[in-house]
Amino acid sequence: MVPRVHLAGQDEARARLGSAWVETGLLFTEPDGSPLHPADVTARFQELTRRAGLPPIRLHDLRHAAASLALAAGADMKVVQNMLRHSSIAVTMDTYTTVLPEVALAAAEATAKIIPRTATRQLGHDSGTAPTTVDGEQAEQSLPHNTNPQVGSDPNLGSEGAPSGTRTPNPLVKSSRPDLSDGAE
């Protein structure tokens, strides 16, 4: 938000200079309305930081600091993109997703909080019914007899391949549907 005093001062200068005022539409300008030179802005910033006893910092670093602080405070990446006026959110994400590890940590912790920690239903059979192999303690130790149920074990398949019109021309793969065993679709 720009103070009204600044806008009033610009309006005063515009009226005083008349046709000598350079209309740029910019908010911060030279006294005649022309654009500020970047080197002059940088020199003034360095002077102010030195006077304030602050460590040396580039003016552009403030932009990065503002984006990083906004993300650390929980601002949405799209908001930061708009704040920085990046043309694409990909630019913002590429620049700032690795800047703050605590942002990634906060996202991981927030994700972990929504994962239920207790089962919502009891696993296994209702009480009173006999347990199955899956419910028993040895469930992981027992393997099914046929570990690949899609592949048939018929040694007499021949070498002619699958009948015409079948979806799978591999003679080792058999359909469990009886209507497909004769080659019909």
Side-chain angles (χ1 to χ4, degrees):
M1 184 105 194
V2 180
R4 291 180 193 182
V5 175
H6 178 76
L7 295 175
Q10 259 191 343
D11 288 342
E12 219 174 85
R14 186 181 287 114
R16 187 178 64 252
L17 293 173
S19 63
W21 175 263
V22 179
E23 190 57 60
T24 59
L26 297 173
L27 189 58
F28 298 101
T29 63
E30 295 290 343
D32 67 349
S34 61
L36 294 171
H37 192 278
D40 295 338
V41 175
T42 299
R44 178 74 173 138
F45 176 75
Q46 289 172 345
E47 178 189 337
L48 291 172
T49 56
R50 185 186 50 75
R51 277 192 199 172
L54 297 172
I57 185 173
R58 296 178 311 146
L59 185 57
H60 191 77
D61 292 337
L62 295 181
R63 176 179 170 89
H64 292 300
S68 298
L69 290 172
L71 289 169
D76 185 72
M77 189 66 71
K78 188 70 177 170
V79 171
V80 174
Q81 175 206 351
N82 289 332
M83 179 176 81
L84 298 175
R85 302 177 105 189
H86 285 160
S87 60
S88 162
I89 196 165
V91 172
T92 311
M93 292 176 75
D94 287 347
T95 305
Y96 294 102
T97 52
T98 58
V99 171
L100 294 172
E102 59 267 18
V103 172
L105 177 62
E109 288 174 347
T111 303
K113 283 181 184 177
I114 65 169
I115 298 172
R117 297 290 182 222
T118 58
T120 56
R121 65 178 180 87
Q122 184 67 28
L123 299 177
H125 288 259
D126 295 333
S127 62
T129 59
T132 65
T133 306
V134 175
D135 296 324
E137 293 177 11
Q138 301 162 343
E140 292 184 17
Q141 295 174 358
S142 65
L143 294 173
H145 175 65
N146 184 357
T147 58
N148 197 353
Q150 301 92 324
V151 178
S153 59
D154 185 4
N156 297 323
L157 290 176
S159 60
E160 67 274 353
S164 175
T166 59
R167 292 183 182 190
T168 308
N170 186 339
L172 298 177
V173 178
K174 288 187 165 186
S175 174
S176 60
R177 291 177 40 192
D179 61 322
L180 292 180
S181 62
D182 62 351
E185 295 234 8

mmCIF file of all heavy atoms in Angstrom, residues 24-42:
data_model
loop_
_atom_site.group_PDB
_atom_site.id
_atom_site.type_symbol
_atom_site.label_atom_id
_atom_site.label_comp_id
_atom_site.label_asym_id
_atom_site.label_seq_id
_atom_site.Cartn_x
_atom_site.Cartn_y
_atom_site.Cartn_z
ATOM 1 N N THR A 24 4.938 8.108 -16.950
ATOM 2 C CA THR A 24 5.385 6.731 -17.146
ATOM 3 C C THR A 24 4.406 5.723 -16.557
ATOM 4 O O THR A 24 4.473 4.544 -16.874
ATOM 5 C CB THR A 24 6.753 6.507 -16.465
ATOM 6 O OG1 THR A 24 6.611 6.789 -15.066
ATOM 7 C CG2 THR A 24 7.824 7.398 -17.083
ATOM 8 N N GLY A 25 3.531 6.214 -15.685
ATOM 9 C CA GLY A 25 2.626 5.297 -15.005
ATOM 10 C C GLY A 25 3.312 4.568 -13.851
ATOM 11 O O GLY A 25 2.710 3.704 -13.222
ATOM 12 N N LEU A 26 4.579 4.924 -13.591
ATOM 13 C CA LEU A 26 5.322 4.288 -12.504
ATOM 14 C C LEU A 26 5.014 4.977 -11.186
ATOM 15 O O LEU A 26 4.706 6.167 -11.134
ATOM 16 C CB LEU A 26 6.822 4.336 -12.786
ATOM 17 C CG LEU A 26 7.299 3.586 -14.023
ATOM 18 C CD1 LEU A 26 8.777 3.855 -14.282
ATOM 19 C CD2 LEU A 26 7.047 2.094 -13.858
ATOM 20 N N LEU A 27 5.150 4.216 -10.134
ATOM 21 C CA LEU A 27 4.858 4.742 -8.812
ATOM 22 C C LEU A 27 6.065 5.461 -8.218
ATOM 23 O O LEU A 27 5.942 6.517 -7.599
ATOM 24 C CB LEU A 27 4.430 3.584 -7.904
ATOM 25 C CG LEU A 27 3.878 3.937 -6.556
ATOM 26 C CD1 LEU A 27 2.658 4.836 -6.686
ATOM 27 C CD2 LEU A 27 3.511 2.682 -5.807
ATOM 28 N N PHE A 28 7.236 4.883 -8.385
ATOM 29 C CA PHE A 28 8.450 5.504 -7.861
ATOM 30 C C PHE A 28 9.250 6.025 -9.049
ATOM 31 O O PHE A 28 9.652 5.262 -9.927
ATOM 32 C CB PHE A 28 9.261 4.502 -7.041
ATOM 33 C CG PHE A 28 8.503 3.999 -5.842
ATOM 34 C CD1 PHE A 28 7.890 2.764 -5.857
ATOM 35 C CD2 PHE A 28 8.358 4.809 -4.725
ATOM 36 C CE1 PHE A 28 7.175 2.321 -4.767
ATOM 37 C CE2 PHE A 28 7.640 4.381 -3.626
ATOM 38 C CZ PHE A 28 7.040 3.130 -3.644
ATOM 39 N N THR A 29 9.468 7.324 -9.058
ATOM 40 C CA THR A 29 10.084 7.981 -10.219
ATOM 41 C C THR A 29 11.077 9.034 -9.761
ATOM 42 O O THR A 29 11.189 9.361 -8.580
ATOM 43 C CB THR A 29 9.009 8.686 -11.066
ATOM 44 O OG1 THR A 29 8.395 9.717 -10.273
ATOM 45 C CG2 THR A 29 7.953 7.724 -11.557
ATOM 46 N N GLU A 30 11.787 9.582 -10.756
ATOM 47 C CA GLU A 30 12.607 10.765 -10.525
ATOM 48 C C GLU A 30 11.646 11.934 -10.276
ATOM 49 O O GLU A 30 10.448 11.816 -10.549
ATOM 50 C CB GLU A 30 13.484 11.047 -11.767
ATOM 51 C CG GLU A 30 14.511 9.979 -12.076
ATOM 52 C CD GLU A 30 15.641 9.943 -11.057
ATOM 53 O OE1 GLU A 30 15.823 10.923 -10.288
ATOM 54 O OE2 GLU A 30 16.357 8.923 -11.019
ATOM 55 N N PRO A 31 12.139 13.065 -9.794
ATOM 56 C CA PRO A 31 11.256 14.209 -9.522
ATOM 57 C C PRO A 31 10.448 14.688 -10.731
ATOM 58 O O PRO A 31 9.381 15.280 -10.580
ATOM 59 C CB PRO A 31 12.219 15.306 -9.043
ATOM 60 C CG PRO A 31 13.382 14.565 -8.472
ATOM 61 C CD PRO A 31 13.502 13.316 -9.307
ATOM 62 N N ASP A 32 10.933 14.391 -11.949
ATOM 63 C CA ASP A 32 10.193 14.819 -13.146
ATOM 64 C C ASP A 32 9.273 13.724 -13.698
ATOM 65 O O ASP A 32 8.684 13.890 -14.763
ATOM 66 C CB ASP A 32 11.163 15.278 -14.233
ATOM 67 C CG ASP A 32 12.014 14.146 -14.785
ATOM 68 O OD1 ASP A 32 12.019 13.030 -14.191
ATOM 69 O OD2 ASP A 32 12.676 14.364 -15.817
ATOM 70 N N GLY A 33 9.175 12.601 -12.989
ATOM 71 C CA GLY A 33 8.298 11.515 -13.430
ATOM 72 C C GLY A 33 9.011 10.454 -14.247
ATOM 73 O O GLY A 33 8.434 9.401 -14.541
ATOM 74 N N SER A 34 10.241 10.691 -14.642
ATOM 75 C CA SER A 34 10.967 9.700 -15.437
ATOM 76 C C SER A 34 11.358 8.512 -14.549
ATOM 77 O O SER A 34 11.425 8.631 -13.323
ATOM 78 C CB SER A 34 12.211 10.340 -16.080
ATOM 79 O OG SER A 34 13.084 10.819 -15.085
ATOM 80 N N PRO A 35 11.625 7.367 -15.177
ATOM 81 C CA PRO A 35 11.951 6.168 -14.390
ATOM 82 C C PRO A 35 13.240 6.336 -13.593
ATOM 83 O O PRO A 35 14.166 7.026 -14.033
ATOM 84 C CB PRO A 35 12.125 5.070 -15.444
ATOM 85 C CG PRO A 35 11.538 5.606 -16.691
ATOM 86 C CD PRO A 35 11.580 7.100 -16.607
ATOM 87 N N LEU A 36 13.278 5.684 -12.442
ATOM 88 C CA LEU A 36 14.500 5.654 -11.644
ATOM 89 C C LEU A 36 15.525 4.766 -12.349
ATOM 90 O O LEU A 36 15.169 3.744 -12.927
ATOM 91 C CB LEU A 36 14.209 5.077 -10.262
ATOM 92 C CG LEU A 36 13.291 5.887 -9.352
ATOM 93 C CD1 LEU A 36 12.934 5.084 -8.109
ATOM 94 C CD2 LEU A 36 13.942 7.205 -8.964
ATOM 95 N N HIS A 37 16.788 5.144 -12.278
ATOM 96 C CA HIS A 37 17.835 4.306 -12.846
ATOM 97 C C HIS A 37 18.165 3.218 -11.822
ATOM 98 O O HIS A 37 18.364 3.512 -10.639
ATOM 99 C CB HIS A 37 19.081 5.138 -13.192
ATOM 100 C CG HIS A 37 20.052 4.389 -14.025
ATOM 101 N ND1 HIS A 37 20.957 3.494 -13.494
ATOM 102 C CD2 HIS A 37 20.248 4.377 -15.363
ATOM 103 C CE1 HIS A 37 21.664 2.962 -14.455
ATOM 104 N NE2 HIS A 37 21.269 3.494 -15.612
ATOM 105 N N PRO A 38 18.249 1.945 -12.246
ATOM 106 C CA PRO A 38 18.519 0.857 -11.300
ATOM 107 C C PRO A 38 19.792 1.060 -10.478
ATOM 108 O O PRO A 38 19.833 0.726 -9.297
ATOM 109 C CB PRO A 38 18.635 -0.371 -12.198
ATOM 110 C CG PRO A 38 17.844 -0.031 -13.408
ATOM 111 C CD PRO A 38 17.997 1.460 -13.591
ATOM 112 N N ALA A 39 20.828 1.619 -11.060
ATOM 113 C CA ALA A 39 22.085 1.834 -10.323
ATOM 114 C C ALA A 39 21.869 2.830 -9.183
ATOM 115 O O ALA A 39 22.464 2.689 -8.100
ATOM 116 C CB ALA A 39 23.180 2.321 -11.263
ATOM 117 N N ASP A 40 21.036 3.840 -9.412
ATOM 118 C CA ASP A 40 20.746 4.829 -8.370
ATOM 119 C C ASP A 40 19.958 4.195 -7.221
ATOM 120 O O ASP A 40 20.221 4.483 -6.049
ATOM 121 C CB ASP A 40 19.955 6.012 -8.940
ATOM 122 C CG ASP A 40 20.761 6.813 -9.954
ATOM 123 O OD1 ASP A 40 22.018 6.738 -9.917
ATOM 124 O OD2 ASP A 40 20.130 7.494 -10.781
ATOM 125 N N VAL A 41 19.030 3.317 -7.556
ATOM 126 C CA VAL A 41 18.245 2.633 -6.534
ATOM 127 C C VAL A 41 19.155 1.721 -5.713
ATOM 128 O O VAL A 41 19.084 1.698 -4.476
ATOM 129 C CB VAL A 41 17.090 1.816 -7.179
ATOM 130 C CG1 VAL A 41 16.351 1.013 -6.135
ATOM 131 C CG2 VAL A 41 16.139 2.742 -7.917
ATOM 132 N N THR A 42 20.049 1.013 -6.385
ATOM 133 C CA THR A 42 20.985 0.122 -5.700
ATOM 134 C C THR A 42 21.900 0.912 -4.774
ATOM 135 O O THR A 42 22.121 0.523 -3.617
ATOM 136 C CB THR A 42 21.814 -0.679 -6.724
ATOM 137 O OG1 THR A 42 20.929 -1.466 -7.511
ATOM 138 C CG2 THR A 42 22.831 -1.576 -6.048
#
